[in-house]
């Protein structure tokens, strides 16, 4: 049976890689590899996952230098010479081993006003949003985010400018900006504009290249740039 | 600097980029034409002196550059040197002034 040589990050920020040998199995995912290490080789290994089917967004790690969702990353696609290097996500503090601290990532969603602001109460009727309306189509293109932070960890601007809200929070803001039921659009535009917001994006597109849900945060950010510039020129911001 | 100014800086950089792209194109075509037809310095000056169209064109080129370069450099400096705040804004304003003066002086030299 072939074995995989797996280097796994251990410790916090100034930790080191530890090597393990893991049996290579058919249809094995990177998450299977990490789970095998924890269940059979070293129970002190810390990592995070929940759904195992690409829905929850909790299993992202840096695999051979790239941020990926590990539950749906097949070893066959990433370990050409049967070797893997697995580290915690970049651009976030390390809690321990493969667990990154997501606090800042989600704080930035809040800062970007990533929360829906209703304009109606439960006593009002259902809002009618035509599935083929222009706004709804824009929302559809960006709504399937699972909050995995793969994009955030792949963005150079986040590394250079720690205040930058990042692709996921801005993508979220864009979906709400196009939600015709939302009542805080102007405040949200003010929150996502400027040097720490959408205008800091260099359109590198690493986020869109690596998003496991094949979303295009770059396009959402471009939409925000246009919307905020229009609002600023009209004197609304 | 407030958010509105940051947005306007971004818009100014995009707008000046469009102007610069056109100016560079016209400038390159002019240079190639001048070289190909073997124009001497005196012949070139003969065409540019007192020519409002050429003077205006190159003044616009200089103005677009003086807007575009400091905004881009401001981003690069704050990202890579973590330089932020009023000292950065002041330095970039100074750079814009220097670019404008040097550029317009050069335009004046071939116009007047
Ligand atoms: S497109 Fe913008 S947000 Fe996405 S990785 Fe590049 S700089 Fe970051
Ligand atoms: S936009 Fe994509 S990469 Fe970024 S958090 Fe959402 S699902 Fe993950
Ligand atoms: S474990 Fe839920 S997305 Fe991977």
């Amino acid at each position: 049976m072939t074995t995989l040589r797996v280097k796994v990050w251990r410790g916090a920020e100034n930790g080191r890689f530890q090597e393990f040998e893991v049996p290579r199995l058919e249809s094995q995912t990177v998450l299977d590899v990490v789970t095998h290490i924890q269940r059979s080789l070293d129970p002190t290994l810390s990592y995070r996952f929940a759904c195992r089917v690409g829905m929850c967004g909790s299993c992202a790690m840096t695999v051979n230098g790239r941020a990926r969702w590990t539950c749906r990353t097949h070893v066959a696609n990433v370990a050409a010479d049967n070797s893997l290097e697995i580290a915690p996500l970049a651009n976030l503090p390390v809690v321990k081993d493969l667990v990154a601290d997501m606090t800042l990532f989600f704080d930035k969603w809040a800062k970007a006003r990533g929360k829906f602001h209703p304009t109606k109460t439960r006593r009002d009727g259902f809002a009618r949003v035509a599935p083929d309306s222009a706004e709804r189509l824009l929302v559809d293109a960006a709504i399937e985010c699972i909050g995995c932070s793969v994009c955030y960890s792949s963005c150079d601007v986040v590394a250079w400018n720690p205040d930058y809200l990042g692709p996921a929070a801005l993508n979220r803001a864009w979906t709400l900006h196009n939600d015709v039921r939302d009542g805080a659009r102007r405040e949200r535009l003010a929150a996502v504009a400027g040097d720490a917001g959408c205008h800091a994006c260099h359109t590198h597109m690493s986020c869109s290249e690596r998003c496991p849900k094949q979303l295009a945060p770059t396009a959402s950010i471009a939409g925000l740039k246009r919307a905020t510039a229009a609002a600023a020129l009209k004197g609304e911001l | 600097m407030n958010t509105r100014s940051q947005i306007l800086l971004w818009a100014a950089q995009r707008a000046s980029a469009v102007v610069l792209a056109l100016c560079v194109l016209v400038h390159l075509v002019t240079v190639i034409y001048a070289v190909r037809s073997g124009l001497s310095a005196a012949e070139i000056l003969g065409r540019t002196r007192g020519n409002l169209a050429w003077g205006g064109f190159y003044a616009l080129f200089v103005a677009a550059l003086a807007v575009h370069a400091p905004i881009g450099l401001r981003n690069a400096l704050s990202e890579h040197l973590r330089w932020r705040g009023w000292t950065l804004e002041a330095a970039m304003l100074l750079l814009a002034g220097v670019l404008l003066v040097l550029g317009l002086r050069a335009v004046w030299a071939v116009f007047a």
Side-chain angles (χ1 to χ4, degrees):
Chain A
M1 184 170 48
T2 24
T3 47
L4 283 166
R5 278 167 292 112
V6 188
K7 284 193 206 157
V8 178
W9 187 258
R10 302 307 304 269
E13 220 65 69
N14 41 20
R16 58 185 178 83
F17 283 101
Q18 185 182 352
E19 264 199 67
F20 295 95
E21 292 203 342
V22 177
R24 176 80 174 84
L25 304 172
E26 209 187 321
S27 301
Q28 195 175 22
T29 66
V30 175
L31 186 65
D32 293 336
V33 170
V34 176
T35 301
H36 175 87
I37 295 173
Q38 200 227 38
R39 303 265 156 100
S40 312
L41 304 175
D42 184 348
T44 66
L45 177 68
S46 302
Y47 67 110
R48 210 161 25 206
F49 74 97
C51 71
R52 296 176 295 122
V53 291
M55 287 175 70
C56 70
S58 60
C59 66
M61 302 169 199
T62 308
V63 182
N64 286 354
R66 263 174 176 252
R68 295 179 183 275
W69 53 358
T70 54
C71 69
R72 300 199 61 184
T73 299
H74 281 261
V75 171
N77 294 334
V78 289
D81 54 354
N82 283 325
S83 70
L84 279 174
E85 186 190 272
I86 310 176
L89 285 173
N91 290 346
L92 292 165
V94 184
V95 179
K96 174 177 176 281
D97 303 342
L98 300 172
V99 179
D101 182 351
M102 307 284 283
T103 312
L104 195 59
F105 175 71
F106 287 115
D107 281 353
K108 288 181 176 179
W109 283 49
K111 258 196 185 160
R113 292 220 171 214
K115 201 172 82 177
F116 176 60
H117 289 258
T119 44
K120 293 188 173 174
T121 71
R122 68 183 66 194
R123 276 169 284 281
D124 296 309
F126 285 110
R128 286 174 189 276
V129 181
D132 55 354
S133 63
E135 284 99 341
R136 178 66 229 193
L137 291 175
L138 288 172
V139 174
D140 277 349
I143 197 68
E144 294 291 341
C145 172
I146 55 172
C148 64
S149 189
V150 162
C151 55
Y152 188 84
S153 303
S154 306
C155 174
D156 285 335
V157 178
V158 172
W160 297 331
N161 178 359
D163 294 333
Y164 178 43
L165 293 171
L170 292 171
N171 181 70
R172 170 69 184 157
W174 177 242
T175 61
L176 288 167
H177 176 74
N178 289 297
D179 190 329
V180 291
R181 303 163 307 161
D182 188 274
R185 294 207 243 176
R186 189 188 289 194
E187 292 86 336
R188 189 173 297 105
L189 282 185
V192 300
D195 292 345
C198 60
H199 297 99
C201 168
H202 286 257
T203 321
H204 286 160
M205 301 191 59
S206 315
C207 55
S208 306
E209 165 82 22
R210 300 202 181 157
C211 170
K213 297 290 291 179
Q214 268 121 36
L215 304 184
T218 319
S220 301
I221 294 169
L224 286 176
K225 284 175 178 170
R226 286 192 300 274
T228 47
L233 289 175
K234 277 191 235 150
E236 289 173 2
L237 283 185
Chain B
M1 185 183 291
N2 66 25
T3 308
R4 188 180 145 80
S5 314
Q6 290 170 10
I7 303 174
L8 293 179
L9 276 189
W10 176 85
Q13 202 194 17
R14 294 301 142 115
S16 57
V18 174
V19 177
L20 278 178
L22 292 174
C23 288
V24 168
L25 207 67
V26 173
H27 178 66
L28 284 179
V29 170
T30 311
V31 169
I32 291 170
Y33 171 80
V35 171
R36 285 238 165 156
S37 14
L39 292 183
S40 68
E43 280 168 328
I44 292 174
L45 281 177
R47 295 175 193 208
T48 59
R49 286 227 161 102
N51 188 324
L52 272 180
W54 278 123
F57 169 77
Y58 277 104
L60 177 73
F61 198 161
V62 168
L65 178 108
V67 170
H68 192 81
I71 303 176
L73 194 62
R74 174 178 174 272
N75 288 341
L77 289 173
S78 71
E79 279 168 2
H80 296 287
L81 303 182
R82 304 272 150 103
W83 185 6
R84 313 249 157 98
W86 74 268
T87 51
L88 176 62
E89 321 299 2
M92 292 306 103
L93 217 55
L94 188 72
L95 175 68
V98 168
L99 289 175
L100 200 65
V101 169
L102 290 180
L104 289 180
R105 218 178 59 156
V107 175
W108 189 251
V110 291
F111 177 75

